[in-house]
Each structure stands twice: as structure tokens, then as C-alpha cells.
Amino acid sequence: MSGSIVGLRGILAVLVFLFAGMVVTPAVQPLAQNATNVEGNSSQQEFWQKVRRGQTGNVSIPDTKAGQLIQSEGEEFRALRNGPVTVYGAQALIASILLLAVFFILRGRVRISHGPAGTRVERFNGIERFGHWLLAVSFIVLGLTGLNVLYGRYVLLPILGPDAFAFITYWGKYLHNHVAFAFMLGVVWVFVCWIKDNFPSRTDIRWFREGGGIIGSKHPPAKKFNAGQKIIFWLVFLAGVSISLTGISLLFPFQFPMFAKTFAFLNMFGFDLQTQLTPMQEMQYAQLWHTIVSVFMIVVIVAHIYIGSIGMEGAFDAMGSGEVDLNWAKEHHALWVEKLDREGTLHTVAEKATGETRAQPAE
Ligand code: HEM
């Protein structure tokens, strides 16, 4: 009896061995140097290249990416993301805040040199301000929730503990994924409203030469937007589009690969970038680029928020009530005021309300 069981076990073992050999051999058994297997792999190197590219055999489940047994780029991505990207990003953020603090201590608030005129003029209408605040509030929500994904585990986790941190991060991610669409709308809204006032002009050269009036008390003449604001506008647009596209790529994994195509395009201008990317690599590039551009934009916007609030007397009103003091307008956007005056559209707020004649701009 026991002899026949041993015999049966032996036959089964041989069958299992043969069956497993048939299934596994073509896919994962490394080959001897210069040998050729049924798939035509002629060397160890070629075999391991196939393992890394997910070409080792047929995968019968829907997710064919599972056929990739090793993804070496994953390790490079992890090292980059948790190394230089995280470290340099933090350094840039801290440095920009410190620099602004030092600048504020040394320079103080940029005052209206001639003092407020008391008469106010409309700078941005309701449609413009709605677009700005849609963009601003969504950007701040995305910035804070995004920074939590990058730095939360180092900064918040030790303070809040795992439960509260998990709660914040879970809902933060949820918010991030949804508020992203408000941001995209904000980028388009602001772009449409202000593109006509943001083309480069000759006056921008003088603005740069005079350092934008930030250092010293001179105010180089500017149109509706000065050269510095035009840079902010174009950065917000270009970075906004870039962050949005990579964000969509991350929101819908593997549906919108864009880096192989972008690299192929850049190669036409002398770059030498890899254009054969696996779906996983596409996701990793999207993640890296999304993070790098976002951190860069946060640094830029921190400076923008500074100058639009505590950094400059009278600036916030432009986006708050939409009305600025006439002397502020003349000092920072003299050519814009002159243009309104020439066109006969320089109506102060009081005149608009009473329907009276145009006021003389204050000297
Ligand atoms: C609390 C946050 C913010 C404040 C206090 C603020 C303030 C302002 C002010 C006062 C202006 C008008 C400047 C003028 O009249 O000449 C302005 C313009 C603008 N803002 Fe903001 N802003 C904030 C956040 C943001 C954010 C997050 C973005 C984009 C992501 C943004 C993008 C812009 C753009 C593109 C302009 C037009 C160009 C310029 O003036 O630089 N703002 N902002």
C-alpha cells in the first residue's frame, strides 16, 4: 500500500516538474552565455533586457504591465524623488521665505511716495477678480496638500501622530485631486482676461534697467502690467499648463503618456533623450516633473503674494475691492493711467457712482 502511494507521488512529482518547466522555462530561466532558447534570446544580456522591458513571456491577465518582472528605473526614480527633489525643494522654499523676510526688514513696505490721493480708480473688474481668486485659492489648496504629500511625513507626522496625519493626508489627497479642476479653469480664465496686456513691449526694457523700482525709490513707467508682472503671468500660464497636463497623467494612470513624445520633439533641437519609455517610466517622469514645476511655482508665488499684500502699500486693493488709489496707479502704472486719460476712460469710482465728469488725475 505504502509502496503504491510512493509510486503515485513519484509520478505526480515528475508531472508537476515537467508542467512547471514548460510554463516557466521560456519566461524566467536565464540562459547560458551565447545559448539560444525557443524565443531566440541569444545572451544573458538580451534575456535580462527583456525581463526589464516586460517581454519575457505572454501575460494572460488584462494588466500586461505585470509581465515586467524588474523595473530598474523605479530605483532611480525613488532615489531622485526622495533625494535631490525633496532636499533641494525644501531648501528653495525655506531660502525664498528667508530672503523675503530679510528684504522686508531692510527695505520695509513700498509706500505710495506722494501719499494716497484719496480718489480711487477701477483696476480690475469683477470677472477679472473672480478668475484671480479662483486661481489663487485653488493654487494655495493644491500647494498645501501637495507639500503634505512631499514633506508631511517629515514635518507633520512627528507632531500629529499617525492617526491625525493619515486623516489629513487621506482627505488632502482627495481635495488635491478634485480642486485641480478649479485650478485648470482659473489658469484659462486669467489667461483669457489678461493675455492682451502681457505681450512684451519696449517699456519692459527700461523697467528691467531700473530694477523695477524695487531697489531705490524710482518708479519706472509701466503699462497695465509691468515687466515683472508679465513674467509672473507667463510663468503661471506655462507652468500651470505643464502642472495640469502631468496632473491629468497622474490622475488617470497609464492613459495619457506624454514624455516619450515630448522627448522625441526635444530631440529635434539637439537633445538626446530616451524615447522608448515603458508605461511605468512615463508615470515616473510625470510624477517628477509635476513635483519639480510645482515647487518652483510655489517659490515664485510666495514672492508674488508678498508683493501683493504686505510688501507694497495699496497693492492688495487691486484684487480686493478692484479699486486702487489714483496716486498708487500713477506711481506704479503711469502709462496705463495716461492711456485711460487719453481715451477718456479714467473715471474715478466716485464719478462713476454719481455719473459726473472725469476727475483730473492727481499730480
Ligand atoms: C493670497 C494670495 C494672493 C494675493 C494677495 C495676490 C495679490 C495679487 C494682486 C494685488 C494682484 C494685482 C497687482 C496689480 O494690481 O498690479 C495680483 C495679480 C496677479 N496674480 Fe495674484 N495674489 C495671490 C495669489 C495668486 C496666485 C496663487 C496666483 C497664481 C497661481 C496668482 C496669480 C496672479 C497673476 C497671474 C496676476 C497678474 C500678474 C501680476 O500682477 O503679477 N496670484 N495678485
Side-chain angles (χ1 to χ4, degrees):
M1 178 69 184
S2 73
S4 64
I5 289 175
V6 171
L8 195 61
R9 276 195 190 142
I11 293 165
L12 272 174
V14 171
L15 283 176
V16 167
F17 182 74
L18 285 176
F19 182 70
M22 276 159 61
V23 173
V24 172
T25 303
V28 295
Q29 183 184 292
L31 297 167
Q33 196 73 35
N34 299 327
T36 304
N37 77 348
V38 287
E39 287 189 337
N41 296 330
S42 59
S43 69
Q44 288 270 13
Q45 188 194 15
E46 194 178 332
F47 172 80
W48 286 112
Q49 268 173 6
K50 287 192 168 188
V51 168
R52 290 192 161 88
R53 289 182 196 145
Q55 299 163 340
T56 40
N58 294 327
V59 179
S60 55
I61 55 172
D63 185 5
T64 51
K65 291 183 293 302
Q68 183 161 9
L69 303 180
I70 297 175
Q71 206 245 345
S72 328
E73 296 82 10
E75 183 49 27
E76 288 161 25
F77 158 74
R78 198 194 64 81
L80 243 164
R81 194 237 183 225
N82 294 346
V85 171
T86 307
V87 174
Y88 295 150
Q91 287 173 349
L93 286 167
I94 294 169
S96 65
I97 292 168
L98 287 180
L99 269 175
L100 287 173
V102 170
F103 182 77
F104 185 65
I105 292 165
L106 295 179
R107 172 70 164 87
R109 215 172 181 209
V110 178
R111 296 270 169 207
I112 303 176
S113 313
H114 295 90
T119 27
R120 305 183 75 73
V121 57
E122 186 185 80
R123 178 140 172 85
F124 294 115
N125 64 30
I127 295 173
E128 290 171 302
R129 279 180 288 139
F130 178 81
H132 176 266
W133 289 119
L134 179 70
L135 178 69
V137 172
S138 58
F139 184 90
I140 291 168
V141 171
L142 293 169
L144 291 176
T145 50
L147 286 177
N148 183 45
V149 172
L150 198 57
Y151 298 114
R153 82 189 67 168
Y154 309 113
V155 180
L156 291 185
L157 180 59
I159 301 171
L160 300 177
D163 290 345
F165 177 66
F167 178 83
I168 287 181
T169 306
Y170 175 79
W171 287 107
K173 184 77 188 81
Y174 203 67
L175 207 62
H176 196 92
N177 290 355
H178 290 83
V179 171
F181 295 99
F183 172 75
M184 291 176 212
L185 181 62
V187 169
V188 175
W189 194 299
V190 158
F191 182 75
V192 172
C193 279
W194 293 332
I195 171 84
K196 66 178 188 325
D197 299 306
N198 278 287
F199 292 112
S201 71
R202 271 168 194 280
T203 51
D204 299 332
I205 300 170
R206 176 162 172 203
W207 190 90
F208 280 122
R209 270 210 312 263
E210 294 180 18
I214 292 285
I215 297 145
S217 57
K218 272 202 209 151
H219 290 294
K223 297 185 178 181
K224 178 148 180 176
F225 292 118
N226 62 40
Q229 290 176 300
K230 287 178 187 176
I231 291 176
I232 299 277
F233 173 86
W234 286 107
L235 278 181
V236 165
F237 175 68
L238 294 175
V241 168
S242 195
I243 295 172
S244 302
L245 290 178
T246 45
I248 288 173
S249 192
L250 294 170
L251 264 181
F252 305 101
F254 308 112
Q255 305 300 307
F256 300 102
M258 52 190 71
F259 279 86
K261 284 180 216 147
T262 309
F263 289 170
F265 175 74
L266 289 175
N267 285 350
M268 295 195 308
F269 301 96
F271 287 88
D272 184 23
L273 300 163
Q274 193 187 340
T275 52
Q276 297 289 317
L277 301 178
T278 62
M280 216 52 185
Q281 273 178 293
E282 282 279 358
M283 292 303 298
Q284 286 155 357
Y285 275 117
Q287 209 278 347
L288 279 178
W289 188 247
H290 190 78
T291 309
I292 293 167
V293 180
S294 301
V295 171
F296 169 71
M297 271 318 287
I298 293 172
V299 170
V300 171
I301 291 300
V302 164
H304 169 77
I305 294 176
Y306 165 80
I307 204 74
S309 56
I310 55 167
M312 182 186 281
E313 182 185 7
F316 184 82
D317 294 343
M319 279 304 164
S321 63
E323 300 157 0
V324 288
D325 188 88
L326 196 52
N327 275 355
W328 180 91
K330 288 182 72 188
E331 281 172 21
H332 297 287
H333 299 277
L335 301 176
W336 173 65
V337 175
E338 277 171 24
K339 179 171 168 272
L340 294 185
D341 197 21
R342 269 199 314 277
E343 290 170 351
T345 48
L346 183 68
H347 303 295
T348 62
V349 175
E351 286 167 357
K352 265 190 157 178
T354 57
E356 282 171 14
T357 50
R358 187 172 61 80
Q360 289 303 311
E363 285 308 318

